[in-house]
Coordinates of all heavy atoms in Angstrom, one line a residue:
F15 N 110.2 248.3 223.9 CA 109.3 248.3 222.7 C 110.1 248.8 221.5 O 109.9 248.3 220.4 CB 108.0 249.1 223.0 CG 108.1 250.6 222.9 CD1 107.7 251.2 221.7 CD2 108.7 251.3 223.9 CE1 107.8 252.6 221.6 CE2 108.8 252.7 223.8 CZ 108.3 253.4 222.7
L16 N 111.0 249.8 221.7 CA 111.8 250.3 220.6 C 112.9 249.3 220.2 O 113.1 249.0 219.0 CB 112.4 251.6 220.9 CG 111.5 252.8 221.0 CD1 112.3 254.0 221.5 CD2 110.9 253.2 219.6
S17 N 113.6 248.8 221.2 CA 114.7 247.8 221.0 C 114.2 246.6 220.2 O 114.8 246.2 219.3 CB 115.3 247.4 222.3 OG 115.9 248.5 222.9
K18 N 113.1 246.1 220.6 CA 112.5 244.9 219.9 C 112.2 245.2 218.5 O 112.5 244.4 217.6 CB 111.3 244.4 220.7 CG 111.6 243.7 222.0 CD 110.4 243.3 222.7 CE 110.7 242.8 224.1 NZ 109.5 242.5 224.9
Q19 N 111.6 246.3 218.2 CA 111.2 246.7 216.9 C 112.5 246.9 216.0 O 112.5 246.4 214.9 CB 110.4 248.0 216.9 CG 110.2 248.7 215.6 CD 109.0 248.0 214.8 OE1 108.4 247.1 215.3 NE2 108.8 248.4 213.6
L20 N 113.5 247.6 216.5 CA 114.7 247.8 215.8 C 115.5 246.5 215.6 O 116.0 246.3 214.5 CB 115.6 248.9 216.5 CG 115.0 250.3 216.5 CD1 115.8 251.2 217.4 CD2 115.0 250.8 215.0
N21 N 115.5 245.6 216.6 CA 116.1 244.3 216.4 C 115.4 243.5 215.2 O 116.1 242.9 214.4 CB 116.0 243.5 217.6 CG 116.9 243.9 218.8 OD1 116.7 243.6 219.9 ND2 118.0 244.6 218.4
Q22 N 114.1 243.6 215.2 CA 113.3 242.9 214.1 C 113.7 243.5 212.7 O 113.6 242.8 211.7 CB 111.8 243.0 214.4 CG 111.4 242.1 215.5 CD 109.9 242.4 215.9 OE1 109.2 243.2 215.3 NE2 109.4 241.6 216.8
L23 N 114.1 244.8 212.7 CA 114.5 245.4 211.5 C 115.9 245.2 211.1 O 116.4 245.7 210.1 CB 114.1 246.9 211.5 CG 112.6 247.3 211.6 CD1 112.4 248.7 211.9 CD2 111.9 246.9 210.3
G24 N 116.7 244.4 212.0 CA 118.0 244.1 211.7 C 119.1 245.0 212.4 O 120.3 244.9 212.1
Y25 N 118.7 245.8 213.3 CA 119.6 246.7 214.0 C 120.0 246.0 215.3 O 119.2 245.4 216.0 CB 118.9 248.0 214.4 CG 118.7 248.9 213.2 CD1 117.5 248.8 212.5 CD2 119.6 249.9 212.8 CE1 117.2 249.6 211.4 CE2 119.3 250.7 211.7 CZ 118.1 250.5 211.0 OH 117.9 251.3 209.9
M26 N 121.3 246.2 215.7 CA 121.8 245.9 217.0 C 121.5 247.2 217.8 O 121.8 248.3 217.3 CB 123.3 245.6 217.1 CG 123.8 245.5 218.5 SD 125.5 245.0 218.6 CE 126.3 246.5 218.1
V27 N 120.9 247.1 218.9 CA 120.5 248.3 219.7 C 121.4 248.3 221.0 O 121.6 247.4 221.7 CB 119.0 248.2 220.2 CG1 118.7 249.4 221.1 CG2 118.1 248.2 219.0
I28 N 122.0 249.5 221.1 CA 122.8 249.8 222.3 C 122.1 250.8 223.1 O 122.0 252.0 222.7 CB 124.2 250.3 221.9 CG1 124.9 249.3 221.0 CG2 125.0 250.6 223.2 CD1 126.1 249.8 220.2
A29 N 121.5 250.4 224.2 CA 120.7 251.4 225.0 C 121.6 252.0 226.1 O 122.3 251.3 226.8 CB 119.5 250.6 225.7
I30 N 121.5 253.4 226.1 CA 122.4 254.1 226.9 C 121.7 255.0 227.9 O 120.8 255.8 227.5 CB 123.3 255.0 226.0 CG1 124.1 254.1 225.0 CG2 124.3 255.8 226.8 CD1 124.6 254.8 223.8

Side-chain angles (χ1 to χ4, degrees):
F15 79 101
L16 287 174
S17 294
K18 288 176 187 174
Q19 172 79 3
L20 291 168
N21 287 158
Q22 290 173 356
L23 294 170
Y25 291 88
M26 174 176 69
V27 177
I28 302 160
I30 301 159

